[in-house]
Amino acid sequence: MAASSSIHEPVNIATYPLSAVELQGLDRGTHPHVTATYGPSTKGKEVAKGYATLTVEANGIHIMDSDADQPLISYTLGPDVQYACPAVSRPEGTNLATYAVIRRSQDIESSLESRTIWAWTSFPDDPTTLATDRKSYQAPFPVYALYAPRSLPSKLLVVSTTGAVACLGGDQMLPLENSSTVDGTSSPVVLKSIIIPRQRCSFAPTAVPPSAVALTVLEDAHTTPRVRLNVTVFNDDGKVDTSASGMVELSNGTNTVRDVTIDHNGNFSVLWSDFSWSLYTLSRSSLSDPLVLTHHEPPLQLSQHKLTTLSATSLIHLNTAQILFASLEPSHQNVDILIWDLQYQALLAHCTLSLPPGAPNSHIQLVPTLDTTHALLVVSTSPAKARGSVTSLVYSVPLTVPAASSLANAINATHSASVVGWVETDRGDSVGDEGLMTATERQTLDKLDETLRRQGVQAANDVVLQFQQSTGLANLSRDFAAEACKRLLQPLPKAMGNAKTEKVPSSVTPLLERGLVSNGCVAHELGVVGAILDRSDWVALRLCIGQVKDIPEDALVQVLKRVVLANPKDSSPTTEGMDVDSKSSPKGQSAQSNVPSVQEFLVQLVQYPTTAGSLRVAMKKHLSVDDLAPVLAALDRIIGKELHDISAMSVKDPKRSLFAQSIQFFQYILDTFLLSILSSSATSSAQPEQQQLQASILSISTHVQNSIDLISALEKLRGPLEPFVRAQEERILAEKERATRTGHTEQKWAKLRKRGERHRKMDEAVAVYQIEKLVL
């Protein structure tokens, strides 16, 4: 049986905060706050795992073991030093050499910015080298990427910002003779560069195995987007093997390149700007033949419901056609990590990583390691996109990947539900709710923009309503729904405060009901749910939580906080009542008539799909012990009601029952606030809120114990009832088989049996009459 692919729970190995003061001292460029590279360790080839080199702006360079949570070596350079590209490390004997290209520092001249290379050598088991104990070298051009392949000892490979590649060597790390390539007269932009060390490269045949192969992907945007792949082969002495090097070009209409990957077998994939993903094979029959790029048709089309132009993406090649893919949506706090097999266009594995609140969400980087057992994931931001202080995170992602792409793994993966929503299906220009916008929808959006600017939200709402009535809700696309909500649910000015001068436009409600809206389509901190919450439209809010499936836990808990505050504490019912809607207070009904009770909202919240870690973090951030009394009282009533309703407990999946989900939510509360509850109970046990809190906890505990007793009693019936259950299952199975064979269902067989019974009685009556006639 073929081994299956899987992605295990990522482990956070490093965290680097960036304060607002440090952010002001950085260039407002696109260089990420944290970048990473990975190289072999000094412990020999028998050790599979190596060292990660982390380059942290406004901090320094840190070398880490991916199994440890503390750096082995740190070079703290301070906030005045900025880097042109990620630093690299390489074992040199028992020492570890580290190289970094300095983009800006007080110690270098402006003419040498992005050309100066600093080098350190340290012993990992005794890292006594200081950041000032360094050597300095100069590159012949501004550096885009720096490499220190082990197959070229005492040499460095540098890639310029225009795509030229050079090998530096000697005591002064000067360019070696015949060791560089010079780009043409055009001004291309380097998209990515990859170094493949000494190994069998099927796409670069040479008389002697190469020491390193540099692959540089460039794009010339002056005319129609044209992508060029330069292959530069280096010999053992660091010189360019011009006979083995070469160049190929490719294009995809007006699409630009988002990312590329390539492995030593020549499997080359390109993720285009329209999220089509193409797989190519780079090959060369002999030295006398040119490089050939073979396209594997058709390309894989990733869904634009999962990815947008604002999505941050990263790719690394694992082996053959298997690629690790990561995406991060700016409006979400989740990173999707996937393993794709492009040869069979199958999603082999999927994992969602929930980021803590305050984590950056504008840049991610996947870093390959020495094998396919794990990879590094860096979640960071760039100074140009940062707003205030941020905290960048580095994760180690354990992987299980087969040795090669196979049809068996692809077939097994097709039965997984993970692929749903990630791949676009074949469709025409105008399709229903799963397609892109039609020309009519684009015209309607243009009209909506004009109306919104001239007449306001209400008139724009009428435009959408008229279009919905003329087109039909079933024919609306998700993209149109997202763009309409983006315009109609614009964030309210902060000066409005809590004044309810605006309601959710009525045209948004049918879009929510049909599930055409995602939470991130509105430019609000909390997404769609936040825009509705600002308008205090509780009916629309409950509909949103019921239909929108990508609301982050942080937003859900903030809504819970608002519900708790909106329900007066004196209106909480006794533990014997099940209805928490207080209608005896006209004052409470005037402004908050549509506010759901805490119990009503909790019924929705506990059934909403969430992750445990993110929910606990959100609770800790937004709730206090004082908020727990009405929450636990409502949970107590929900659990008590479900426990007494035996039919509610006999669901097909007991773990998805309201009773089980309420108990799980109660467990999350205890995990988050147990110590706070105990400390507050010791200091203010006489307060009514504390008494209610303690009573609710004891009551829930009693419900749980009653449930355990009930399960124990029912368990005794398992043996006596098992034969009856088995007989019933066999009867149902036999009935299904008979219905399949004859086309008659159970209802048809019942009618046939009744008809046969009537005929039998009629036959008996006729027989008696004939006997009587014969006697006469």
Side-chain angles (χ1 to χ4, degrees), residues 73-124:
I73 305 172
S74 290
Y75 302 113
T76 305
L77 304 180
D80 296 331
V81 179
Q82 300 178 35
Y83 310 93
C85 62
V88 295
S89 298
R90 173 177 60 191
E92 295 182 357
T94 58
N95 294 328
L96 190 70
T98 303
Y99 303 91
V101 181
I102 307 304
R103 177 163 50 96
R104 181 164 298 177
S105 173
Q106 296 178 352
D107 298 336
I108 62 175
E109 300 176 2
S110 58
S111 60
L112 298 178
E113 291 179 352
S114 298
R115 294 178 53 193
T116 301
I117 302 174
W118 286 353
W120 300 267
T121 302
S122 182
F123 186 56

Side-chain angles (χ1 to χ4, degrees), residues 456-521:
V457 175
Q458 187 56 48
N461 177 59
D462 296 337
V463 171
V464 179
L465 284 175
Q466 293 174 4
F467 183 72
Q468 290 175 351
Q469 294 172 359
S470 61
T471 305
L473 291 173
N475 299 320
L476 295 180
S477 69
R478 292 183 182 274
D479 289 337
F480 174 79
E483 292 297 329
C485 288
K486 179 180 178 181
R487 291 160 171 77
L488 296 176
L489 293 178
Q490 295 180 2
L492 299 178
K494 294 184 178 180
M496 292 179 61
N498 293 327
K500 299 182 180 180
T501 58
E502 284 198 30
K503 286 290 184 180
V504 173
S506 57
S507 61
V508 174
T509 302
L511 301 179
L512 291 173
E513 290 175 344
R514 291 191 57 82
L516 298 176
V517 180
S518 64
N519 191 64
C521 68

Side-chain angles (χ1 to χ4, degrees), residues 11 143 749:
V11 180
V143 176
W749 280 110

Side-chain angles (χ1 to χ4, degrees), residues 248-292:
V248 291
E249 291 186 351
L250 67 154
S251 63
N252 186 10
T254 59
N255 289 316
T256 56
V257 175
R258 291 184 65 94
D259 205 349
V260 300
T261 65
I262 193 167
D263 70 347
H264 65 277
N265 290 319
N267 296 301
F268 178 59
S269 74
V270 181
L271 180 63
W272 300 96
S273 56
D274 65 345
F275 297 107
S276 61
W277 199 355
S278 301
L279 178 64
Y280 304 85
T281 299
L282 186 64
S283 60
R284 189 176 198 172
S285 302
S286 63
L287 291 176
S288 59
D289 296 326
L291 287 168
V292 177

Side-chain angles (χ1 to χ4, degrees), residues 563-583:
V563 172
V564 170
L565 296 177
N567 283 273
K569 294 183 179 180
D570 58 354
S571 67
S572 298
T574 62
T575 57
E576 309 189 354
M578 292 296 173
D579 187 7
V580 295
D581 295 329
S582 176
K583 299 182 180 179

